[in-house]
Structure formats: structure tokens, C-alpha cells
Amino acid sequence: MFDVKDRVAIVTGGSRGIGAAIVKVFLNSGAKVAVCARNSEKGEAFVESLNLPEDRVKFFQVDVSSFESVKKCFEEIISHFGEVNILVNNAGITIDKLFLRMKEEDWDKVLNVNLKGAFYFSKLVVPHFIKKRWGRIINMTSVVGLTGNPGQANYCASKAGIIGFTKSLAKELASRNITVNAVAPGYIETDMTKDLPDKAKEEMLKNIPLRRVGRGEDVAYGVLFLSSHEAGYITGQVLNINGGMYM
């Protein structure tokens, strides 16, 4: 459908939720995928469940909030696959609290994973892309990075930061045939959202014109498009995938 055949993609936070859906869609489209996540047990189990050879998909353990860990992971990926063509900065966490109760460590942890993690991986991938004069970077933001949300000041700040980072990097790299875009999911059924109270879920559905919760695949196909050859004239954009929740 969209040309990513034989491209090598890095997907951070790739062992579950939206990340796992992205991995599967890439593989079904002929790409090779480096699945990166912090929990090695879950990551290895997910990759094993795909039942594909290591030259198609392999798990790499990483803590995206640590530059040394990211550097080691990236070197292992290059050693295994020989190159990288697509980077999906998907890894993210939430520590939700009202601002008055939010501790500095709650702020730092979320910013370090969600924002600094994207910086670290991009820092290592960009020189590789520049040499090839081709590359795709897709950064996962969120609808709340555009709208804000009570109890999520740290998460919203990190996701708003991703948007500014995306647009700035897109302007810097466009002349090298490297595109940088962001995807902003709305209410998607994942491990991060399944534990929300029923009342909160009902209120969210009222604000979604399509009247359903999104699936990981809904987001994954948007990422696939932005990663493809066909999306070569799109850069610096935020693709909202939210069922009309935010327009």
C-alpha cells in the first residue's frame, strides 16, 4: 500500500500498545523492524510471538532517558541490520497528578522519557540519515499536547514540546531529503488508557464525533504513511488521529 519494503525502522516503546501495532503494520508492509523497549522480558516475548526471523525483526533493550543506553542500543541496531531508514519515537510514560501535588521527580521522569528520549534517538539517527540523504522521523505527540488536560501538566508539556521539536527539526533537515512529522493520537485503547474510570471514558466518548475509541492500528497506518516514499513532500506536520475529538 505504502512503500517501506526493506526499509529498516526503529520503533521505541515498540513492545505494546500503539508501538506494537506500528511494529506489526511495518512488518506486514515489508519493512524490517528494531523493536526497542525497556522491559526485556515483555519485549522478547512480543517479538517471539511474531514468529519471524531475526533479519526481519529483533528486540533491543533500551532506557530512552539515558543517552548511554540509547547509544548502545543504536550501535547494536546498526551492527545487526546494517542501516536505519525510519525512526518512530513512540516511547512514553504518564505520571498523572494535579499540579499542586506534582513533585519535581514526577515532572523530570515524564520529560526525560517522552521528550529527551526523542532527542537522544534523533541525535544518533540524523547523521546516519544525512549520509544517505534520505530518512523519516515520526514523533508521537498527543491530542493533549494541543489541548492541555487537567492532572497531566508534565505529560502535556512533554507532548507539546515534541511538536516544537518536530517542526524545528523538519526545517533543519528538509534540504537533506529527511522528513520529520508528528502523529497526535486521541483516545486510543491501550494499557495507558484501559485503567481510566468508566465515567472518564464515557465523557471522552461524548467528545468524539466518530463515537468510538481508537485502535492501535488506526494510529499505525498513519505512521506507515508518513514513513513511506509516497509521503516525501510532507514535513513539519502534526497528523491528528482522534476521531474528530480535536479539529
Side-chain angles (χ1 to χ4, degrees):
M1 182 169 56
F2 297 119
D3 184 11
V4 295
K5 184 174 174 54
D6 295 326
R7 300 286 190 187
V8 178
I10 294 174
V11 181
T12 69
S15 64
R16 62 192 183 108
I18 291 172
I22 293 168
V23 169
K24 291 176 182 178
V25 165
F26 272 149
L27 291 170
N28 289 339
S29 302
K32 303 172 183 179
V33 185
V35 179
C36 301
R38 183 167 186 168
N39 189 311
S40 57
E41 183 178 347
K42 290 182 180 178
E44 293 284 5
F46 169 66
V47 169
E48 186 176 342
S49 74
L50 298 171
N51 197 29
L52 289 169
E54 284 194 345
D55 64 345
R56 289 292 317 283
V57 60
K58 184 174 172 59
F59 174 74
F60 298 87
Q61 196 279 331
V62 67
D63 173 3
V64 300
S65 67
S66 162
F67 181 72
E68 290 305 314
S69 180
V70 172
K71 185 172 183 289
K72 179 175 179 291
C73 176
F74 182 71
E75 290 171 350
E76 289 173 351
I77 292 168
I78 294 296
S79 177
H80 182 77
F81 286 110
E83 63 176 345
V84 172
N85 311 109
I86 300 162
L87 170 63
V88 182
N89 285 309
N90 171 71
I93 63 169
T94 59
I95 304 176
D96 296 348
K97 293 178 183 177
L98 292 175
F99 183 71
L100 288 176
R101 298 175 182 172
M102 190 174 291
K103 299 176 182 177
E104 183 178 359
E105 64 188 56
D106 300 327
W107 179 273
D108 289 344
K109 284 181 182 179
V110 170
L111 269 290
N112 286 343
V113 171
N114 298 4
L115 189 54
K116 193 175 282 188
F119 167 74
Y120 285 156
F121 259 104
S122 300
K123 188 73 173 174
L124 294 171
V125 165
V126 164
H128 189 78
F129 287 177
I130 287 175
K131 288 179 182 179
K132 290 179 165 293
R133 297 192 68 82
W134 198 97
R136 300 282 188 266
I137 298 175
I138 295 89
N139 297 317
M140 300 302 294
T141 180
S142 168
V143 63
V144 299
L146 296 161
T147 65
N149 201 39
Q152 289 193 309
N154 49 2
Y155 184 75
C156 295
S158 71
K159 293 304 184 178
I162 283 288
I163 294 172
F165 174 65
T166 296
K167 291 179 178 290
S168 296
L169 203 56
K171 289 186 175 182
E172 290 188 25
L173 299 178
S175 64
R176 309 301 178 93
N177 199 33
I178 300 165
T179 66
V180 189
N181 292 287
V183 171
Y187 180 20
I188 310 296
E189 190 65 63
T190 67
D191 290 343
M192 289 176 71
T193 60
K194 70 178 183 180
D195 294 329
L196 287 171
D198 289 340
K199 186 175 181 180
K201 292 180 181 180
E202 291 171 8
E203 287 300 315
M204 282 189 180
L205 282 173
K206 289 178 183 177
N207 295 318
I208 301 174
L210 286 180
R211 289 294 185 267
R212 71 169 177 87
V213 176
R215 300 181 297 267
E217 292 78 10
D218 294 321
V219 180
Y221 282 114
V223 173
L224 175 67
F225 169 60
L226 292 174
S227 302
S228 69
H229 171 76
E230 289 81 356
Y233 201 56
I234 300 172
T235 195
Q237 303 304 306
V238 180
L239 176 60
N240 290 288
I241 303 177
N242 57 37
M245 185 178 181
Y246 174 80
M247 299 184 188

Short mmCIF file of all heavy atoms in Angstrom, two decimals, residues 158-216:
data_model
loop_
_atom_site.label_atom_id
_atom_site.label_comp_id
_atom_site.label_asym_id
_atom_site.label_seq_id
_atom_site.Cartn_x
_atom_site.Cartn_y
_atom_site.Cartn_z
N SER A 158 5.38 17.68 27.81
CA SER A 158 6.29 16.84 27.02
C SER A 158 5.77 16.67 25.60
O SER A 158 6.54 16.71 24.63
CB SER A 158 6.48 15.47 27.68
OG SER A 158 5.32 14.66 27.60
N LYS A 159 4.46 16.50 25.46
CA LYS A 159 3.89 16.27 24.13
C LYS A 159 3.81 17.56 23.32
O LYS A 159 3.93 17.54 22.09
CB LYS A 159 2.52 15.62 24.27
CG LYS A 159 2.58 14.20 24.83
CD LYS A 159 3.50 13.30 24.00
CE LYS A 159 3.50 11.87 24.47
NZ LYS A 159 4.37 11.01 23.63
N ALA A 160 3.61 18.69 23.98
CA ALA A 160 3.68 19.97 23.28
C ALA A 160 5.12 20.24 22.83
O ALA A 160 5.35 20.76 21.74
CB ALA A 160 3.18 21.09 24.18
N GLY A 161 6.07 19.87 23.68
CA GLY A 161 7.48 20.02 23.33
C GLY A 161 7.84 19.21 22.10
O GLY A 161 8.65 19.64 21.26
N ILE A 162 7.26 18.02 21.97
CA ILE A 162 7.51 17.17 20.80
C ILE A 162 7.09 17.88 19.52
O ILE A 162 7.77 17.78 18.48
CB ILE A 162 6.74 15.83 20.94
CG1 ILE A 162 7.46 14.89 21.92
CG2 ILE A 162 6.57 15.15 19.60
CD1 ILE A 162 8.76 14.30 21.41
N ILE A 163 6.00 18.63 19.57
CA ILE A 163 5.53 19.33 18.38
C ILE A 163 6.53 20.40 17.96
O ILE A 163 6.89 20.52 16.78
CB ILE A 163 4.14 19.94 18.62
CG1 ILE A 163 3.10 18.82 18.81
CG2 ILE A 163 3.73 20.84 17.45
CD1 ILE A 163 1.74 19.29 19.24
N GLY A 164 7.02 21.20 18.92
CA GLY A 164 8.02 22.22 18.59
C GLY A 164 9.31 21.60 18.09
O GLY A 164 9.93 22.11 17.15
N PHE A 165 9.71 20.51 18.72
CA PHE A 165 10.91 19.79 18.30
C PHE A 165 10.76 19.29 16.86
O PHE A 165 11.67 19.43 16.03
CB PHE A 165 11.14 18.61 19.26
CG PHE A 165 12.25 17.68 18.88
CD1 PHE A 165 13.57 18.11 18.87
CD2 PHE A 165 11.98 16.35 18.56
CE1 PHE A 165 14.60 17.24 18.54
CE2 PHE A 165 13.01 15.48 18.23
CZ PHE A 165 14.32 15.92 18.21
N THR A 166 9.60 18.73 16.55
CA THR A 166 9.33 18.20 15.22
C THR A 166 9.42 19.28 14.16
O THR A 166 10.09 19.11 13.13
CB THR A 166 7.92 17.56 15.18
OG1 THR A 166 7.88 16.44 16.07
CG2 THR A 166 7.54 17.11 13.78
N LYS A 167 8.80 20.41 14.40
CA LYS A 167 8.78 21.48 13.40
C LYS A 167 10.18 22.08 13.18
O LYS A 167 10.57 22.39 12.05
CB LYS A 167 7.78 22.56 13.82
CG LYS A 167 6.33 22.09 13.73
CD LYS A 167 5.37 23.18 14.19
CE LYS A 167 3.92 22.71 14.06
NZ LYS A 167 3.49 22.59 12.65
N SER A 168 10.92 22.23 14.28
CA SER A 168 12.27 22.79 14.16
C SER A 168 13.19 21.84 13.40
O SER A 168 13.95 22.26 12.50
CB SER A 168 12.84 23.06 15.55
OG SER A 168 12.09 24.03 16.23
N LEU A 169 13.13 20.56 13.74
CA LEU A 169 13.98 19.58 13.08
C LEU A 169 13.61 19.43 11.61
O LEU A 169 14.48 19.28 10.74
CB LEU A 169 13.86 18.23 13.80
CG LEU A 169 15.02 17.24 13.64
CD1 LEU A 169 16.33 17.87 14.07
CD2 LEU A 169 14.74 15.97 14.45
N ALA A 170 12.31 19.52 11.31
CA ALA A 170 11.86 19.43 9.92
C ALA A 170 12.48 20.54 9.07
O ALA A 170 12.91 20.31 7.93
CB ALA A 170 10.34 19.51 9.85
N LYS A 171 12.55 21.75 9.62
CA LYS A 171 13.13 22.87 8.88
C LYS A 171 14.64 22.69 8.68
O LYS A 171 15.19 23.05 7.64
CB LYS A 171 12.84 24.18 9.60
CG LYS A 171 11.38 24.59 9.53
CD LYS A 171 11.13 25.97 10.11
CE LYS A 171 9.68 26.39 9.91
NZ LYS A 171 9.40 27.75 10.42
N GLU A 172 15.31 22.13 9.68
CA GLU A 172 16.75 21.93 9.58
C GLU A 172 17.13 20.84 8.58
O GLU A 172 18.18 20.93 7.93
CB GLU A 172 17.33 21.58 10.95
CG GLU A 172 17.31 22.71 11.95
CD GLU A 172 18.06 22.37 13.23
OE1 GLU A 172 18.95 21.51 13.20
OE2 GLU A 172 17.75 22.98 14.27
N LEU A 173 16.29 19.82 8.45
CA LEU A 173 16.69 18.63 7.69
C LEU A 173 16.05 18.52 6.31
O LEU A 173 16.40 17.61 5.55
CB LEU A 173 16.36 17.37 8.50
CG LEU A 173 17.05 17.26 9.87
CD1 LEU A 173 16.59 15.99 10.59
CD2 LEU A 173 18.56 17.26 9.70
N ALA A 174 15.14 19.40 5.98
CA ALA A 174 14.41 19.28 4.72
C ALA A 174 15.33 19.26 3.50
O ALA A 174 15.10 18.51 2.54
CB ALA A 174 13.39 20.41 4.59
N SER A 175 16.39 20.05 3.53
CA SER A 175 17.29 20.13 2.37
C SER A 175 18.07 18.84 2.16
O SER A 175 18.67 18.64 1.10
CB SER A 175 18.27 21.29 2.54
OG SER A 175 19.13 21.07 3.65
N ARG A 176 18.05 17.96 3.16
CA ARG A 176 18.76 16.66 3.05
C ARG A 176 17.80 15.52 2.71
O ARG A 176 18.15 14.36 2.85
CB ARG A 176 19.49 16.35 4.37
CG ARG A 176 20.39 17.47 4.90
CD ARG A 176 21.47 17.85 3.90
NE ARG A 176 22.28 18.94 4.40
CZ ARG A 176 23.42 18.80 5.09
NH1 ARG A 176 23.85 17.59 5.38
NH2 ARG A 176 24.09 19.85 5.49
N ASN A 177 16.60 15.86 2.29
CA ASN A 177 15.60 14.86 1.92
C ASN A 177 15.18 14.00 3.11
O ASN A 177 14.87 12.81 2.97
CB ASN A 177 16.10 13.96 0.78
CG ASN A 177 14.98 13.23 0.06
OD1 ASN A 177 13.87 13.74 -0.07
ND2 ASN A 177 15.26 12.02 -0.39
N ILE A 178 15.16 14.61 4.28
CA ILE A 178 14.73 13.94 5.51
C ILE A 178 13.46 14.64 5.98
O ILE A 178 13.46 15.85 6.17
CB ILE A 178 15.82 14.02 6.59
CG1 ILE A 178 17.10 13.34 6.11
CG2 ILE A 178 15.33 13.38 7.90
CD1 ILE A 178 18.31 13.68 6.96
N THR A 179 12.40 13.88 6.15
CA THR A 179 11.15 14.46 6.65
C THR A 179 10.97 14.15 8.12
O THR A 179 11.36 13.09 8.60
CB THR A 179 9.93 13.95 5.85
OG1 THR A 179 9.75 12.55 6.09
CG2 THR A 179 10.11 14.20 4.36
N VAL A 180 10.36 15.10 8.82
CA VAL A 180 10.10 14.95 10.26
C VAL A 180 8.67 15.37 10.52
O VAL A 180 8.29 16.52 10.26
CB VAL A 180 11.06 15.82 11.11
CG1 VAL A 180 10.91 15.48 12.59
CG2 VAL A 180 12.50 15.62 10.66
N ASN A 181 7.87 14.45 11.01
CA ASN A 181 6.46 14.72 11.27
C ASN A 181 6.05 14.16 12.64
O ASN A 181 6.78 13.35 13.22
CB ASN A 181 5.57 14.11 10.18
CG ASN A 181 5.75 14.79 8.84
OD1 ASN A 181 5.30 15.91 8.63
ND2 ASN A 181 6.42 14.11 7.91
N ALA A 182 4.92 14.61 13.11
CA ALA A 182 4.39 14.12 14.38
C ALA A 182 3.01 13.52 14.16
O ALA A 182 2.28 13.92 13.26
CB ALA A 182 4.32 15.24 15.41
N VAL A 183 2.66 12.56 15.00
CA VAL A 183 1.33 11.97 15.00
C VAL A 183 0.73 12.21 16.38
O VAL A 183 1.37 11.93 17.40
CB VAL A 183 1.37 10.47 14.67
CG1 VAL A 183 0.01 9.83 14.89
CG2 VAL A 183 1.84 10.25 13.24
N ALA A 184 -0.49 12.73 16.40
CA ALA A 184 -1.16 13.06 17.66
C ALA A 184 -2.39 12.19 17.83
O ALA A 184 -3.48 12.53 17.36
CB ALA A 184 -1.55 14.54 17.69
N PRO A 185 -2.25 11.05 18.51
CA PRO A 185 -3.42 10.21 18.77
C PRO A 185 -4.36 10.87 19.77
O PRO A 185 -3.94 11.66 20.62
CB PRO A 185 -2.83 8.93 19.37
CG PRO A 185 -1.36 8.98 19.04
CD PRO A 185 -1.02 10.44 19.00
N GLY A 186 -5.63 10.52 19.65
CA GLY A 186 -6.61 10.93 20.65
C GLY A 186 -6.80 9.81 21.66
O GLY A 186 -5.82 9.27 22.17
N TYR A 187 -8.03 9.45 21.91
CA TYR A 187 -8.34 8.41 22.89
C TYR A 187 -8.21 7.05 22.21
O TYR A 187 -9.07 6.62 21.46
CB TYR A 187 -9.75 8.62 23.43
CG TYR A 187 -10.20 7.62 24.47
CD1 TYR A 187 -9.30 6.86 25.20
CD2 TYR A 187 -11.56 7.44 24.73
CE1 TYR A 187 -9.71 5.95 26.15
CE2 TYR A 187 -12.00 6.54 25.68
CZ TYR A 187 -11.06 5.78 26.39
OH TYR A 187 -11.49 4.87 27.31
N ILE A 188 -7.10 6.37 22.47
CA ILE A 188 -6.80 5.07 21.87
C ILE A 188 -6.81 4.01 22.97
O ILE A 188 -6.26 4.23 24.06
CB ILE A 188 -5.42 5.08 21.17
CG1 ILE A 188 -5.31 6.27 20.21
CG2 ILE A 188 -5.20 3.75 20.44
CD1 ILE A 188 -6.27 6.27 19.05
N GLU A 189 -7.39 2.87 22.68
CA GLU A 189 -7.45 1.79 23.67
C GLU A 189 -6.07 1.16 23.82
O GLU A 189 -5.59 0.44 22.94
CB GLU A 189 -8.46 0.72 23.22
CG GLU A 189 -8.76 -0.32 24.29
CD GLU A 189 -9.46 0.26 25.51
OE1 GLU A 189 -10.58 0.77 25.38
OE2 GLU A 189 -8.86 0.20 26.59
N THR A 190 -5.39 1.46 24.92
CA THR A 190 -4.07 0.91 25.21
C THR A 190 -3.97 0.62 26.70
O THR A 190 -4.89 0.90 27.47
CB THR A 190 -2.95 1.93 24.85
OG1 THR A 190 -3.04 3.05 25.74
CG2 THR A 190 -3.05 2.40 23.41
N ASP A 191 -2.80 0.09 27.11
CA ASP A 191 -2.56 -0.17 28.53
C ASP A 191 -2.62 1.13 29.33
O ASP A 191 -2.96 1.14 30.52
CB ASP A 191 -1.20 -0.84 28.73
CG ASP A 191 -1.19 -2.27 28.23
OD1 ASP A 191 -2.28 -2.84 28.02
OD2 ASP A 191 -0.09 -2.82 28.03
N MET A 192 -2.27 2.25 28.69
CA MET A 192 -2.23 3.53 29.38
C MET A 192 -3.63 4.10 29.61
O MET A 192 -3.83 4.93 30.48
CB MET A 192 -1.38 4.55 28.59
CG MET A 192 0.11 4.25 28.63
SD MET A 192 1.06 5.40 27.60
CE MET A 192 0.91 6.89 28.57
N THR A 193 -4.61 3.65 28.81
CA THR A 193 -5.95 4.22 28.93
C THR A 193 -6.99 3.24 29.50
O THR A 193 -8.05 3.67 29.94
CB THR A 193 -6.47 4.70 27.56
OG1 THR A 193 -6.50 3.59 26.64
CG2 THR A 193 -5.57 5.79 27.00
N LYS A 194 -6.67 1.96 29.49
CA LYS A 194 -7.69 0.98 29.89
C LYS A 194 -8.08 1.09 31.36
O LYS A 194 -9.18 0.68 31.74
CB LYS A 194 -7.19 -0.45 29.60
CG LYS A 194 -6.06 -0.93 30.49
CD LYS A 194 -5.68 -2.36 30.16
CE LYS A 194 -4.58 -2.87 31.09
NZ LYS A 194 -4.19 -4.26 30.77
N ASP A 195 -7.19 1.64 32.19
CA ASP A 195 -7.49 1.74 33.63
C ASP A 195 -8.22 3.03 34.01
O ASP A 195 -8.46 3.28 35.19
CB ASP A 195 -6.20 1.63 34.44
CG ASP A 195 -5.57 0.25 34.32
OD1 ASP A 195 -6.33 -0.73 34.16
OD2 ASP A 195 -4.33 0.14 34.40
N LEU A 196 -8.56 3.85 33.02
CA LEU A 196 -9.32 5.07 33.32
C LEU A 196 -10.70 4.69 33.87
O LEU A 196 -11.29 3.69 33.45
CB LEU A 196 -9.49 5.90 32.05
CG LEU A 196 -8.27 6.65 31.53
CD1 LEU A 196 -8.58 7.24 30.15
CD2 LEU A 196 -7.84 7.75 32.49
N PRO A 197 -11.23 5.47 34.81
CA PRO A 197 -12.57 5.19 35.33
C PRO A 197 -13.61 5.21 34.21
O PRO A 197 -13.47 5.96 33.23
CB PRO A 197 -12.81 6.34 36.32
CG PRO A 197 -11.45 6.85 36.66
CD PRO A 197 -10.61 6.64 35.45
N ASP A 198 -14.65 4.39 34.37
CA ASP A 198 -15.70 4.31 33.34
C ASP A 198 -16.32 5.67 33.05
O ASP A 198 -16.64 5.99 31.91
CB ASP A 198 -16.79 3.32 33.78
CG ASP A 198 -16.30 1.88 33.73
OD1 ASP A 198 -15.31 1.62 33.03
OD2 ASP A 198 -16.91 1.02 34.40
N LYS A 199 -16.49 6.46 34.10
CA LYS A 199 -17.09 7.79 33.91
C LYS A 199 -16.22 8.66 33.02
O LYS A 199 -16.73 9.39 32.15
CB LYS A 199 -17.31 8.46 35.27
CG LYS A 199 -18.07 9.79 35.17
CD LYS A 199 -18.36 10.38 36.55
CE LYS A 199 -19.13 11.68 36.43
NZ LYS A 199 -19.42 12.28 37.76
N ALA A 200 -14.91 8.58 33.22
CA ALA A 200 -13.98 9.36 32.39
C ALA A 200 -14.04 8.90 30.94
O ALA A 200 -14.00 9.71 30.01
CB ALA A 200 -12.56 9.22 32.94
N LYS A 201 -14.15 7.58 30.73
CA LYS A 201 -14.25 7.05 29.38
C LYS A 201 -15.53 7.52 28.69
O LYS A 201 -15.52 7.88 27.52
CB LYS A 201 -14.21 5.52 29.42
CG LYS A 201 -12.87 4.94 29.85
CD LYS A 201 -12.92 3.42 29.86
CE LYS A 201 -11.58 2.84 30.31
NZ LYS A 201 -11.61 1.36 30.33
N GLU A 202 -16.63 7.52 29.44
CA GLU A 202 -17.90 7.96 28.89
C GLU A 202 -17.85 9.44 28.48
O GLU A 202 -18.39 9.82 27.43
CB GLU A 202 -19.02 7.75 29.91
CG GLU A 202 -19.35 6.28 30.16
CD GLU A 202 -20.31 6.09 31.33
OE1 GLU A 202 -20.82 7.11 31.85
OE2 GLU A 202 -20.54 4.94 31.73
N GLU A 203 -17.21 10.26 29.30
CA GLU A 203 -17.09 11.68 28.99
C GLU A 203 -16.25 11.89 27.74
O GLU A 203 -16.55 12.76 26.91
CB GLU A 203 -16.48 12.43 30.18
CG GLU A 203 -17.41 12.60 31.36
CD GLU A 203 -18.67 13.37 31.00
OE1 GLU A 203 -18.56 14.41 30.31
OE2 GLU A 203 -19.77 12.93 31.38
N MET A 204 -15.18 11.10 27.59
CA MET A 204 -14.33 11.22 26.41
C MET A 204 -15.12 10.87 25.14
O MET A 204 -15.01 11.55 24.13
CB MET A 204 -13.11 10.30 26.54
CG MET A 204 -12.03 10.84 27.45
SD MET A 204 -10.54 9.82 27.35
CE MET A 204 -9.49 10.68 28.50
N LEU A 205 -15.90 9.78 25.20
CA LEU A 205 -16.66 9.35 24.03
C LEU A 205 -17.66 10.40 23.58
O LEU A 205 -17.93 10.53 22.38
CB LEU A 205 -17.39 8.03 24.34
CG LEU A 205 -16.53 6.77 24.32
CD1 LEU A 205 -17.32 5.56 24.81
CD2 LEU A 205 -16.01 6.51 22.90
N LYS A 206 -18.19 11.18 24.52
CA LYS A 206 -19.12 12.25 24.16
C LYS A 206 -18.45 13.30 23.28
O LYS A 206 -19.12 13.99 22.52
CB LYS A 206 -19.66 12.93 25.43
CG LYS A 206 -20.62 12.07 26.23
CD LYS A 206 -21.07 12.81 27.49
CE LYS A 206 -21.98 11.95 28.36
NZ LYS A 206 -22.35 12.66 29.61
N ASN A 207 -17.12 13.43 23.41
CA ASN A 207 -16.38 14.45 22.67
C ASN A 207 -15.76 13.91 21.38
O ASN A 207 -14.99 14.62 20.73
CB ASN A 207 -15.29 15.05 23.55
CG ASN A 207 -15.85 15.81 24.73
OD1 ASN A 207 -16.83 16.55 24.59
ND2 ASN A 207 -15.25 15.64 25.90
N ILE A 208 -16.07 12.67 21.03
CA ILE A 208 -15.52 12.06 19.82
C ILE A 208 -16.63 11.90 18.79
O ILE A 208 -17.52 11.06 18.95
CB ILE A 208 -14.89 10.68 20.12
CG1 ILE A 208 -13.77 10.82 21.16
CG2 ILE A 208 -14.35 10.05 18.83
CD1 ILE A 208 -13.19 9.51 21.62
N PRO A 209 -16.64 12.72 17.74
CA PRO A 209 -17.72 12.65 16.74
C PRO A 209 -17.92 11.25 16.14
O PRO A 209 -19.04 10.88 15.82
CB PRO A 209 -17.27 13.66 15.68
CG PRO A 209 -16.50 14.68 16.46
CD PRO A 209 -15.75 13.87 17.49
N LEU A 210 -16.84 10.48 15.97
CA LEU A 210 -16.99 9.13 15.41
C LEU A 210 -17.56 8.14 16.42
O LEU A 210 -17.83 6.98 16.07
CB LEU A 210 -15.65 8.62 14.87
CG LEU A 210 -15.18 9.24 13.55
CD1 LEU A 210 -13.85 8.66 13.12
CD2 LEU A 210 -16.22 9.03 12.45
N ARG A 211 -17.70 8.56 17.67
CA ARG A 211 -18.36 7.78 18.71
C ARG A 211 -17.75 6.40 18.95
O ARG A 211 -18.45 5.42 19.18
CB ARG A 211 -19.86 7.63 18.38
CG ARG A 211 -20.65 8.91 18.53
CD ARG A 211 -20.69 9.36 20.01
NE ARG A 211 -21.55 10.52 20.19
CZ ARG A 211 -21.13 11.78 20.16
NH1 ARG A 211 -19.85 12.05 19.94
NH2 ARG A 211 -21.96 12.79 20.37
N ARG A 212 -16.45 6.33 18.85
CA ARG A 212 -15.77 5.09 19.23
C ARG A 212 -14.37 5.40 19.68
O ARG A 212 -13.79 6.45 19.35
CB ARG A 212 -15.74 4.09 18.08
CG ARG A 212 -14.80 4.44 16.91
CD ARG A 212 -14.64 3.27 15.97
NE ARG A 212 -13.81 3.58 14.80
CZ ARG A 212 -12.48 3.46 14.78
NH1 ARG A 212 -11.82 3.08 15.87
NH2 ARG A 212 -11.81 3.74 13.68
N VAL A 213 -13.81 4.48 20.44
CA VAL A 213 -12.42 4.58 20.87
C VAL A 213 -11.52 4.15 19.72
O VAL A 213 -11.88 3.25 18.95
CB VAL A 213 -12.18 3.67 22.10
CG1 VAL A 213 -10.72 3.67 22.51
CG2 VAL A 213 -13.05 4.12 23.26
N GLY A 214 -10.38 4.80 19.58
CA GLY A 214 -9.46 4.43 18.52
C GLY A 214 -8.72 3.13 18.83
O GLY A 214 -8.60 2.72 19.98
N ARG A 215 -8.23 2.50 17.78
CA ARG A 215 -7.41 1.30 17.92
C ARG A 215 -5.97 1.62 17.58
O ARG A 215 -5.68 2.58 16.87
CB ARG A 215 -7.93 0.21 16.97
CG ARG A 215 -9.37 -0.22 17.21
CD ARG A 215 -9.78 -1.31 16.22
NE ARG A 215 -9.74 -0.81 14.86
CZ ARG A 215 -10.79 -0.29 14.22
NH1 ARG A 215 -11.96 -0.20 14.84
NH2 ARG A 215 -10.68 0.13 12.97
N GLY A 216 -5.08 0.79 18.07
CA GLY A 216 -3.67 0.99 17.76
C GLY A 216 -3.41 1.02 16.27
O GLY A 216 -2.58 1.80 15.78
#
